[in-house]
Amino acid sequence: TIPPVDASTTDWHDDWPDTVSRDCLVEWFNLARKCDPKAKLILNNSGILTYRGTNVTCWKYNEKMLDYLVEHDAPLDVIAEEAHFVQDLTDPAKVIEILDRFSKYKKEFWITEFDVITPDDQLQADYTRDFLTACFSHPSVGAFLLWGFWEANHWQPSAAMYRNDWTPKPSGKVWEDLVLHKWWTREEGKTNAAGEYKTRGFLGDYVVEVRSGGKTVKRKFKLPKEGTTLEVSLP
């Protein structure tokens, strides 16, 4: 039996304006944008999705900062969550509910430090599958990063997806199945009379190979949400 988590008692450093002013936070984002106009500027925190999704104190803390940044036109691109899970597994439906709540800011939401710290390999695999699927299904989620994957080089060895000898744990197999198979587009086909071929695919980076008359051309391209058209000419 997993004991209840009292997230309401957790200190989320709500005294940050007493250490530095809110204007400093806005200034930092503006300076970062000036230094690198192409960089993704991120507000990263933890506790939004963990603690079984009950940490209202953390939500309000983050919303307080986000409201101020948005009101003062800070160039914020991404809201991020560290997402270290121990005994506080959040129901996938609750994950979706929280992501919906933060989507009001019209920013990408990134998972920056995901792991499930438990000696129960099957529980780790099941929650990796469920949490990853919930995040993948939400339109605001733009990136998903692990906080390590190999047991010999992980801050919490029990959270690794691969053992010391590189054999995959059940969670590693789940990751490979979803990321490299179910959510990986591999398509092939013939063009129509106009030389066109259309298909649907998951967003991301691609390599297309076109073959005709004994000639082959390869092109790299990126598939965005709005779709794209790639023109390829054979020599």
Side-chain angles (χ1 to χ4, degrees):
T1 302
I2 299 175
V5 177
D6 183 7
S8 64
T9 62
T10 306
D11 176 14
W12 291 102
H13 310 294
D14 201 25
D15 60 348
W16 66 271
D18 297 330
T19 307
V20 294
S21 71
R22 289 184 174 90
D23 290 338
C24 282
L25 192 61
V26 175
E27 182 181 358
W28 295 340
F29 273 91
N30 285 325
L31 285 172
R33 175 65 81 227
K34 184 177 180 180
C35 290
D36 188 349
K38 296 182 180 180
K40 288 272 192 179
L41 301 187
I42 303 169
L43 182 66
N44 188 60
N45 215 312
S46 63
I48 297 175
L49 296 172
T50 51
Y51 293 95
R52 293 200 179 94
T54 62
N55 201 336
V56 178
T57 302
C58 182
W59 300 347
K60 292 181 178 179
Y61 164 68
N62 278 274
E63 288 172 332
K64 187 176 182 179
M65 287 194 293
L66 289 165
D67 289 342
Y68 194 84
L69 289 170
V70 170
E71 289 168 5
H72 290 79
D73 298 318
L76 173 69
D77 300 309
V78 176
I79 302 167
E81 158 77 352
E82 293 180 2
H84 297 290
F85 290 93
V86 188
Q87 63 185 27
D88 52 356
L89 303 182
T90 305
D91 188 285
K94 189 67 175 179
V95 171
I96 296 295
E97 179 184 327
I98 298 169
L99 291 172
D100 283 344
R101 177 182 179 125
F102 281 87
S103 65
K104 64 187 176 185
Y105 293 102
K106 309 298 182 183
K107 309 292 182 183
E108 284 188 41
F109 198 107
W110 288 11
I111 307 301
T112 57
E113 300 182 16
F114 172 76
D115 52 29
V116 183
I117 306 165
T118 176
D120 187 332
D121 288 352
Q122 192 57 52
L123 174 64
Q124 182 187 63
D126 290 343
Y127 195 69
T128 296
R129 178 199 61 221
D130 294 347
F131 182 78
L132 189 59
T133 300
C135 291
F136 187 78
S137 74
H138 201 278
S140 71
V141 176
F144 195 106
L145 287 75
L146 300 177
W147 196 238
F149 54 89
W150 182 36
E151 188 176 27
N153 188 26
H154 202 296
W155 78 297
Q156 296 285 347
S158 68
M161 292 183 173
Y162 293 84
R163 300 181 180 89
N164 285 339
D165 63 1
W166 286 104
T167 56
K169 294 167 62 177
S171 58
K173 293 178 180 179
V174 163
W175 178 270
E176 291 178 2
D177 180 53
L178 291 177
V179 177
L180 300 180
H181 297 286
K182 287 186 171 64
W183 300 337
W184 195 283
T185 303
R186 295 177 176 87
E187 292 287 340
E188 63 179 48
K190 295 182 178 180
T191 61
N192 59 22
E196 300 173 337
Y197 177 74
K198 296 180 180 180
T199 190
R200 297 185 65 194
F202 293 107
L203 308 185
D205 298 320
Y206 281 79
V207 175
V208 62
E209 182 177 287
V210 180
R211 297 188 299 270
S212 180
K215 297 179 180 180
T216 300
V217 172
K218 290 185 178 181
R219 292 286 187 272
K220 295 181 179 180
F221 72 100
K222 183 180 292 291
L223 179 60
K225 289 183 179 181
E226 61 272 17
T228 190
T229 298
L230 178 70
E231 293 186 7
V232 179
S233 297
L234 290 167

